[in-house]
Amino acid sequence: GDSVTQMEGPVTLSEEAFLTINCTYTATGYPSLFWYVQYPGEGLQLLLKATKADDKGSNKGFEATYRKETTSFHLEKGSVQVSDSAVYFCALSALNNFNKFYFGSGTKLNVKP
Amino acid sequence: DVKVTQSSRYLVKRTGEKVFLECVQDMDHENMFWYRQDPGLGLRLIYFSYDVKMKEKGDIPEGYSVSREKKERFSLILESASTNQTSMYLCASSYRDSSVYEQYFGPGTRLTVT
């Protein structure tokens, strides 16, 4: 069945460091891929998405490229800020099973000043 | 902007009480979802609904039921609350017939069962 695997956290970085959070997926068909962010005490909000192979999603300095050959959608940011501290979730959706979404387990990012 | 609203941000209930969590979306989405989120366990799907009066069990449906009488509203019911149902509950909605659009989340309800 469809699933998403992302690296375990927490990830602790100093401000201005480079960030990578790994995400790989298993899916039949052609899924869309998403990164969501959750700030403390809030619901999830969309960070970026890519709907077909080789697409690059980007937002607020974060980027991720849909790699079909490696079934990956790694999240990157060149220079993190303290305000990026949050939990990040990788997710996929596919039209089998009524467009149900599949989420990774989440990666907590702590950025220290 | 799409809005998904949940009836309460914080709720405290006693063991054995019947608890209703309400979720409303204004985007005319066919799909609605209930998740619970616990530290270290990520998001776990409780139930989802792909149309009015239609529902499917998710990964952890035991102890929960749902109701979808109108397209915009999806209710989660704890028939007899127990302390192990203390958690953050998140509602979400999405289109059913296109996978290119994201799932939209409400702000969450933090439920404490004492």
Side-chain angles (χ1 to χ4, degrees):
Chain A
D2 295 353
S3 67
V4 174
T5 303
Q6 66 181 99
M7 64 188 282
E8 298 219 2
V11 173
T12 301
L13 295 173
S14 297
E15 211 166 19
E16 299 183 4
F18 185 86
L19 168 71
T20 300
I21 301 177
N22 290 338
C23 171
T24 57
Y25 67 90
T26 301
T28 52
Y30 301 95
S32 293
L33 301 172
F34 305 84
W35 276 102
Y36 283 83
V37 58
Q38 184 182 34
Y39 298 104
E42 299 183 11
L44 277 68
Q45 54 186 275
L46 179 71
L47 180 60
L48 54 85
K49 68 179 182 182
T51 58
K52 59 184 189 298
D54 300 324
D55 267 4
K56 178 185 279 189
S58 61
N59 187 24
K60 299 181 181 179
F62 291 89
E63 292 183 340
T65 301
Y66 187 166
R67 301 275 188 212
K68 194 165 186 291
E69 63 277 11
T70 55
T71 62
S72 64
F73 193 55
H74 304 320
L75 182 68
E76 296 182 336
K77 187 176 186 184
S79 176
V80 295
Q81 306 300 313
V82 172
S83 57
D84 294 326
S85 297
V87 181
Y88 293 81
F89 292 89
C90 186
L92 71 83
S93 71
L95 283 178
N96 52 307
N97 201 14
F98 303 108
N99 197 28
K100 183 179 165 186
F101 276 62
Y102 297 85
F103 286 85
S105 55
T107 303
K108 186 170 184 180
L109 171 66
N110 296 314
V111 180
K112 296 186 173 181
Chain B
D1 271 0
V2 174
K3 280 223 165 55
V4 179
T5 56
Q6 296 183 228
S7 49
S8 306
R9 290 299 302 270
Y10 300 94
L11 209 52
V12 180
K13 295 292 182 181
R14 291 185 184 273
T15 301
E17 278 194 84
K18 191 168 186 176
V19 181
F20 293 87
L21 302 183
E22 305 282 339
C23 176
V24 177
Q25 51 96 3
D26 66 358
M27 193 63 179
D28 203 33
H29 285 158
E30 296 86 4
N31 284 351
M32 295 188 76
F33 304 80
W34 276 108
Y35 298 91
R36 68 177 276 177
Q37 184 179 21
D38 301 288
L41 296 177
L43 293 176
R44 292 183 291 168
L45 181 65
I46 304 171
Y47 268 98
F48 78 100
S49 168
Y50 53 90
D51 205 343
V52 175
K53 297 190 190 296
M54 306 305 289
K55 62 185 179 186
E56 290 240 334
K57 291 181 180 179
D59 303 315
I60 51 163
E62 297 78 20
Y64 303 94
S65 62
V66 290
S67 172
R68 189 142 180 229
E69 297 297 318
K70 293 185 177 181
K71 191 174 185 179
E72 68 271 18
R73 188 179 297 270
F74 191 35
S75 302
L76 179 69
I77 303 153
L78 287 65
E79 296 288 344
S80 177
S82 64
T83 55
N84 63 13
Q85 292 178 312
T86 291
S87 187
M88 169 72 94
Y89 290 87
L90 293 168
C91 176
S93 70
S94 72
Y95 290 112
R96 184 188 61 208
D97 301 323
S98 172
S99 64
V100 305
Y101 298 102
E102 62 266 34
Q103 198 169 92
Y104 292 85
F105 282 82
T109 296
R110 186 164 292 283
L111 173 67
T112 302
V113 183
T114 62

